[in-house]
Amino acid sequence: MEELKVKFLMGPAECNDKEVPSYGQAFLEKVGEALGMKISCAEMDEVKNQPLPVYFIASGGAERGFEEFHVQTAEPYILLTVPAYNSLAASMEIMGYLQEHGKKGEILHGSPETIAKRLEVLLRVARAKEKLSHMRLGCFGNPGGLIASDADFDALKAASGMELVKFELDELVEEYKKGGYPENGYTEDLKSKGYTPEEMEKALNVYGALKRLIGKYNLHAVTVKCFDLLDMIHTTGCLALAILNAEGIPAACEGDQKSLVSMAVLNALTGESGFMANPSCMDPEKSEIIYAHCTLPIDMPDSYSLTTHFESGIGVAVTCDIEPQPMTIFKCDDTLKRYYAGRAKLLETMHRKDLCRAQMRLYLEDGTEYFSSRPISNHHIICKGDWKEVIDEYFSQMS
């Protein structure tokens, strides 16, 4: 079982009830049960090395202890409280201190279930921040025809620790010519679809080339200027990116760097694969939008079949069927100061001949105004589930 270690703080023993430690331990056990994790008290050396340090304010008089120890960790300062022994009062005093010093903090107070629910969000965000800070994102080719989708490498590094690394597309082509790809459940299922063997091998060799380069350069995510591959190797990157995203390796097409960053952030926060797609048409009166692209992660659909890449009519791309369900639409810029996170409901998947191959018609909870007046460029990322609260929390900490 996972474990969260917290720093126990209480006032002087002579000024507090002797039952404070046992009461606090029992309360932590209840929070842990609701969270599905063991919560235990530990020394600062252990607490501060976790993605989310938590201070357990067990009683009044804990303020001086917090003042001493908090310099060992960074904001936001999370204060876990109990509904007794002046725990809340001490935490409010601490919050006043933090505000006077221009630092962020939050009091967790309420039932064990309420506290656990909030802790789950905070833990997810803290772990995502830690993961992203070590990520290397490979860019094979420039965004090309996209004029608002390149990223400021230095700004991204300063904001998050994420490192964008540039590669020439020729290196991918040379690796592709070596041939070969990993045999796994995804490749076996794809080959069982009975698609043209020659085209399937070419598409899977792009996947193999990217996998080898990801390993060679210790990359955690990639984007590929895929339209150039049409002339260079006479196939597309659609299937390769669809597999990589299903494997948990964020992979964007068209060399789109902002979408690559967005996919990495969304995957780190949610653990879900993301579908990078074009907004193809909107109905403002119905708050609906149709998204479509050819690189749907193959772990997303209930069922899928194979066809060609839309614009070129060559290669291998995915068309799909997915049952109606909650979705999240997301995009951020390279500074991580501007973002969009919208709740949506998938109304249907479609099979129109005049759009990219995987198509979704979505109802948007907050309407289409963002998309018509201030979109963060073209492509947006769609994932299953409602993740708006987690995304909002992440960006509130980045501001």
mmCIF file of all heavy atoms in Angstrom, residues 228-257:
data_model
loop_
_atom_site.group_PDB
_atom_site.id
_atom_site.type_symbol
_atom_site.label_atom_id
_atom_site.label_comp_id
_atom_site.label_asym_id
_atom_site.label_seq_id
_atom_site.Cartn_x
_atom_site.Cartn_y
_atom_site.Cartn_z
ATOM 1 N N ASP A 228 5.947 15.879 -43.656
ATOM 2 C CA ASP A 228 7.164 15.722 -44.453
ATOM 3 C C ASP A 228 7.487 14.263 -44.723
ATOM 4 O O ASP A 228 8.202 13.942 -45.684
ATOM 5 C CB ASP A 228 8.349 16.386 -43.747
ATOM 6 C CG ASP A 228 8.304 17.901 -43.848
ATOM 7 O OD1 ASP A 228 7.264 18.435 -44.294
ATOM 8 O OD2 ASP A 228 9.288 18.557 -43.467
ATOM 9 N N LEU A 229 6.992 13.367 -43.870
ATOM 10 C CA LEU A 229 7.257 11.944 -44.088
ATOM 11 C C LEU A 229 6.585 11.426 -45.350
ATOM 12 O O LEU A 229 7.020 10.421 -45.925
ATOM 13 C CB LEU A 229 6.771 11.129 -42.880
ATOM 14 C CG LEU A 229 7.460 11.395 -41.537
ATOM 15 C CD1 LEU A 229 6.845 10.526 -40.451
ATOM 16 C CD2 LEU A 229 8.954 11.142 -41.640
ATOM 17 N N LEU A 230 5.531 12.094 -45.791
ATOM 18 C CA LEU A 230 4.815 11.644 -46.984
ATOM 19 C C LEU A 230 5.749 11.554 -48.181
ATOM 20 O O LEU A 230 5.726 10.565 -48.939
ATOM 21 C CB LEU A 230 3.647 12.592 -47.290
ATOM 22 C CG LEU A 230 2.554 12.681 -46.220
ATOM 23 C CD1 LEU A 230 1.564 13.787 -46.568
ATOM 24 C CD2 LEU A 230 1.836 11.356 -46.067
ATOM 25 N N ASP A 231 6.571 12.574 -48.371
ATOM 26 C CA ASP A 231 7.518 12.562 -49.484
ATOM 27 C C ASP A 231 8.779 11.783 -49.170
ATOM 28 O O ASP A 231 9.374 11.156 -50.058
ATOM 29 C CB ASP A 231 7.898 14.004 -49.863
ATOM 30 C CG ASP A 231 6.752 14.763 -50.505
ATOM 31 O OD1 ASP A 231 5.914 14.117 -51.175
ATOM 32 O OD2 ASP A 231 6.682 15.990 -50.330
ATOM 33 N N MET A 232 9.182 11.783 -47.904
ATOM 34 C CA MET A 232 10.463 11.184 -47.549
ATOM 35 C C MET A 232 10.420 9.664 -47.495
ATOM 36 O O MET A 232 11.362 8.989 -47.907
ATOM 37 C CB MET A 232 10.937 11.743 -46.202
ATOM 38 C CG MET A 232 11.163 13.250 -46.220
ATOM 39 S SD MET A 232 11.541 13.951 -44.587
ATOM 40 C CE MET A 232 13.283 13.604 -44.451
ATOM 41 N N ILE A 233 9.318 9.095 -46.967
ATOM 42 C CA ILE A 233 9.241 7.626 -46.843
ATOM 43 C C ILE A 233 7.899 7.072 -47.327
ATOM 44 O O ILE A 233 7.635 5.877 -47.190
ATOM 45 C CB ILE A 233 9.510 7.167 -45.395
ATOM 46 C CG1 ILE A 233 8.524 7.821 -44.417
ATOM 47 C CG2 ILE A 233 10.938 7.495 -44.985
ATOM 48 C CD1 ILE A 233 8.679 7.347 -42.984
ATOM 49 N N HIS A 234 7.042 7.936 -47.851
ATOM 50 C CA HIS A 234 5.781 7.516 -48.477
ATOM 51 C C HIS A 234 4.847 6.774 -47.518
ATOM 52 O O HIS A 234 4.178 5.813 -47.896
ATOM 53 C CB HIS A 234 6.061 6.661 -49.722
ATOM 54 C CG HIS A 234 7.026 7.306 -50.660
ATOM 55 N ND1 HIS A 234 6.746 8.467 -51.341
ATOM 56 C CD2 HIS A 234 8.322 6.967 -50.991
ATOM 57 C CE1 HIS A 234 7.793 8.819 -52.071
ATOM 58 N NE2 HIS A 234 8.768 7.936 -51.874
ATOM 59 N N THR A 235 4.865 7.226 -46.285
ATOM 60 C CA THR A 235 3.872 6.772 -45.317
ATOM 61 C C THR A 235 3.703 7.896 -44.300
ATOM 62 O O THR A 235 4.315 8.956 -44.442
ATOM 63 C CB THR A 235 4.285 5.455 -44.635
ATOM 64 O OG1 THR A 235 3.167 4.953 -43.872
ATOM 65 C CG2 THR A 235 5.484 5.628 -43.706
ATOM 66 N N THR A 236 2.863 7.677 -43.289
ATOM 67 C CA THR A 236 2.613 8.706 -42.292
ATOM 68 C C THR A 236 2.986 8.207 -40.897
ATOM 69 O O THR A 236 3.237 7.016 -40.700
ATOM 70 C CB THR A 236 1.121 9.112 -42.281
ATOM 71 O OG1 THR A 236 0.349 8.012 -41.761
ATOM 72 C CG2 THR A 236 0.649 9.459 -43.685
ATOM 73 N N GLY A 237 2.967 9.127 -39.952
ATOM 74 C CA GLY A 237 3.268 8.751 -38.575
ATOM 75 C C GLY A 237 2.038 8.453 -37.750
ATOM 76 O O GLY A 237 2.144 8.230 -36.538
ATOM 77 N N CYS A 238 0.852 8.443 -38.383
ATOM 78 C CA CYS A 238 -0.403 8.315 -37.629
ATOM 79 C C CYS A 238 -0.410 7.114 -36.692
ATOM 80 O O CYS A 238 -0.719 7.239 -35.505
ATOM 81 C CB CYS A 238 -1.583 8.205 -38.597
ATOM 82 S SG CYS A 238 -1.751 9.573 -39.756
ATOM 83 N N LEU A 239 -0.101 5.948 -37.231
ATOM 84 C CA LEU A 239 -0.198 4.729 -36.433
ATOM 85 C C LEU A 239 0.864 4.698 -35.343
ATOM 86 O O LEU A 239 0.591 4.263 -34.213
ATOM 87 C CB LEU A 239 -0.067 3.504 -37.341
ATOM 88 C CG LEU A 239 -0.682 2.220 -36.794
ATOM 89 C CD1 LEU A 239 -2.174 2.379 -36.566
ATOM 90 C CD2 LEU A 239 -0.413 1.050 -37.738
ATOM 91 N N ALA A 240 2.063 5.164 -35.665
ATOM 92 C CA ALA A 240 3.131 5.189 -34.671
ATOM 93 C C ALA A 240 2.731 6.030 -33.468
ATOM 94 O O ALA A 240 2.906 5.618 -32.310
ATOM 95 C CB ALA A 240 4.407 5.739 -35.299
ATOM 96 N N LEU A 241 2.165 7.205 -33.720
ATOM 97 C CA LEU A 241 1.765 8.076 -32.627
ATOM 98 C C LEU A 241 0.582 7.499 -31.862
ATOM 99 O O LEU A 241 0.482 7.651 -30.641
ATOM 100 C CB LEU A 241 1.423 9.465 -33.171
ATOM 101 C CG LEU A 241 2.546 10.144 -33.975
ATOM 102 C CD1 LEU A 241 2.109 11.531 -34.431
ATOM 103 C CD2 LEU A 241 3.837 10.228 -33.179
ATOM 104 N N ALA A 242 -0.320 6.824 -32.560
ATOM 105 C CA ALA A 242 -1.467 6.192 -31.902
ATOM 106 C C ALA A 242 -1.013 5.117 -30.921
ATOM 107 O O ALA A 242 -1.596 4.962 -29.842
ATOM 108 C CB ALA A 242 -2.399 5.593 -32.957
ATOM 109 N N ILE A 243 0.033 4.378 -31.289
ATOM 110 C CA ILE A 243 0.543 3.331 -30.395
ATOM 111 C C ILE A 243 1.297 3.951 -29.221
ATOM 112 O O ILE A 243 1.107 3.560 -28.067
ATOM 113 C CB ILE A 243 1.457 2.352 -31.159
ATOM 114 C CG1 ILE A 243 0.715 1.693 -32.314
ATOM 115 C CG2 ILE A 243 1.986 1.280 -30.207
ATOM 116 C CD1 ILE A 243 1.623 0.907 -33.253
ATOM 117 N N LEU A 244 2.165 4.905 -29.515
ATOM 118 C CA LEU A 244 2.952 5.532 -28.446
ATOM 119 C C LEU A 244 2.047 6.151 -27.391
ATOM 120 O O LEU A 244 2.274 5.980 -26.183
ATOM 121 C CB LEU A 244 3.886 6.591 -29.030
ATOM 122 C CG LEU A 244 5.067 6.075 -29.855
ATOM 123 C CD1 LEU A 244 5.785 7.241 -30.524
ATOM 124 C CD2 LEU A 244 6.033 5.276 -29.002
ATOM 125 N N ASN A 245 1.011 6.865 -27.814
ATOM 126 C CA ASN A 245 0.089 7.466 -26.843
ATOM 127 C C ASN A 245 -0.608 6.399 -26.009
ATOM 128 O O ASN A 245 -0.826 6.583 -24.808
ATOM 129 C CB ASN A 245 -0.932 8.346 -27.565
ATOM 130 C CG ASN A 245 -0.393 9.717 -27.886
ATOM 131 O OD1 ASN A 245 0.172 10.379 -27.032
ATOM 132 N ND2 ASN A 245 -0.552 10.161 -29.119
ATOM 133 N N ALA A 246 -0.960 5.287 -26.626
ATOM 134 C CA ALA A 246 -1.588 4.192 -25.880
ATOM 135 C C ALA A 246 -0.621 3.606 -24.858
ATOM 136 O O ALA A 246 -1.036 3.135 -23.795
ATOM 137 C CB ALA A 246 -2.066 3.109 -26.845
ATOM 138 N N GLU A 247 0.660 3.652 -25.167
ATOM 139 C CA GLU A 247 1.681 3.122 -24.257
ATOM 140 C C GLU A 247 2.033 4.093 -23.137
ATOM 141 O O GLU A 247 2.851 3.771 -22.272
ATOM 142 C CB GLU A 247 2.959 2.794 -25.040
ATOM 143 C CG GLU A 247 2.819 1.615 -25.979
ATOM 144 C CD GLU A 247 4.099 1.327 -26.741
ATOM 145 O OE1 GLU A 247 4.829 2.284 -27.077
ATOM 146 O OE2 GLU A 247 4.373 0.146 -27.009
ATOM 147 N N GLY A 248 1.446 5.281 -23.161
ATOM 148 C CA GLY A 248 1.738 6.257 -22.126
ATOM 149 C C GLY A 248 2.888 7.181 -22.463
ATOM 150 O O GLY A 248 3.416 7.875 -21.582
ATOM 151 N N ILE A 249 3.283 7.213 -23.741
ATOM 152 C CA ILE A 249 4.329 8.129 -24.208
ATOM 153 C C ILE A 249 3.645 9.205 -25.033
ATOM 154 O O ILE A 249 3.248 8.976 -26.171
ATOM 155 C CB ILE A 249 5.380 7.394 -25.069
ATOM 156 C CG1 ILE A 249 6.022 6.263 -24.280
ATOM 157 C CG2 ILE A 249 6.443 8.376 -25.568
ATOM 158 C CD1 ILE A 249 6.914 5.358 -25.108
ATOM 159 N N PRO A 250 3.438 10.404 -24.471
ATOM 160 C CA PRO A 250 2.747 11.456 -25.227
ATOM 161 C C PRO A 250 3.420 11.707 -26.567
ATOM 162 O O PRO A 250 4.648 11.867 -26.639
ATOM 163 C CB PRO A 250 2.851 12.670 -24.311
ATOM 164 C CG PRO A 250 2.966 12.082 -22.929
ATOM 165 C CD PRO A 250 3.786 10.845 -23.107
ATOM 166 N N ALA A 251 2.616 11.717 -27.632
ATOM 167 C CA ALA A 251 3.163 11.834 -28.981
ATOM 168 C C ALA A 251 2.243 12.702 -29.830
ATOM 169 O O ALA A 251 1.080 12.364 -30.032
ATOM 170 C CB ALA A 251 3.326 10.441 -29.614
ATOM 171 N N ALA A 252 2.780 13.831 -30.299
ATOM 172 C CA ALA A 252 2.010 14.800 -31.077
ATOM 173 C C ALA A 252 2.434 14.759 -32.534
ATOM 174 O O ALA A 252 3.574 14.402 -32.853
ATOM 175 C CB ALA A 252 2.202 16.205 -30.512
ATOM 176 N N CYS A 253 1.545 15.164 -33.416
ATOM 177 C CA CYS A 253 1.864 15.175 -34.839
ATOM 178 C C CYS A 253 2.060 16.603 -35.327
ATOM 179 O O CYS A 253 1.917 17.568 -34.578
ATOM 180 C CB CYS A 253 0.794 14.451 -35.644
ATOM 181 S SG CYS A 253 -0.870 15.086 -35.431
ATOM 182 N N GLU A 254 2.421 16.741 -36.590
ATOM 183 C CA GLU A 254 2.627 18.017 -37.279
ATOM 184 C C GLU A 254 3.724 18.866 -36.650
ATOM 185 O O GLU A 254 3.781 20.076 -36.854
ATOM 186 C CB GLU A 254 1.309 18.808 -37.369
ATOM 187 C CG GLU A 254 0.229 18.065 -38.160
ATOM 188 C CD GLU A 254 -1.042 18.870 -38.305
ATOM 189 O OE1 GLU A 254 -0.971 20.065 -38.621
ATOM 190 O OE2 GLU A 254 -2.128 18.279 -38.100
ATOM 191 N N GLY A 255 4.590 18.248 -35.862
ATOM 192 C CA GLY A 255 5.663 18.989 -35.207
ATOM 193 C C GLY A 255 5.175 19.984 -34.175
ATOM 194 O O GLY A 255 5.927 20.853 -33.744
ATOM 195 N N ASP A 256 3.932 19.861 -33.734
ATOM 196 C CA ASP A 256 3.285 20.826 -32.847
ATOM 197 C C ASP A 256 3.887 20.744 -31.443
ATOM 198 O O ASP A 256 3.663 19.781 -30.710
ATOM 199 C CB ASP A 256 1.785 20.542 -32.804
ATOM 200 C CG ASP A 256 0.994 21.607 -32.056
ATOM 201 O OD1 ASP A 256 1.573 22.270 -31.170
ATOM 202 O OD2 ASP A 256 -0.196 21.769 -32.346
ATOM 203 N N GLN A 257 4.633 21.770 -31.081
ATOM 204 C CA GLN A 257 5.330 21.761 -29.796
ATOM 205 C C GLN A 257 4.424 22.124 -28.630
ATOM 206 O O GLN A 257 4.542 21.553 -27.545
ATOM 207 C CB GLN A 257 6.529 22.709 -29.870
ATOM 208 C CG GLN A 257 7.583 22.255 -30.876
ATOM 209 C CD GLN A 257 8.617 23.326 -31.188
ATOM 210 O OE1 GLN A 257 8.608 24.409 -30.612
ATOM 211 N NE2 GLN A 257 9.519 23.021 -32.115
#
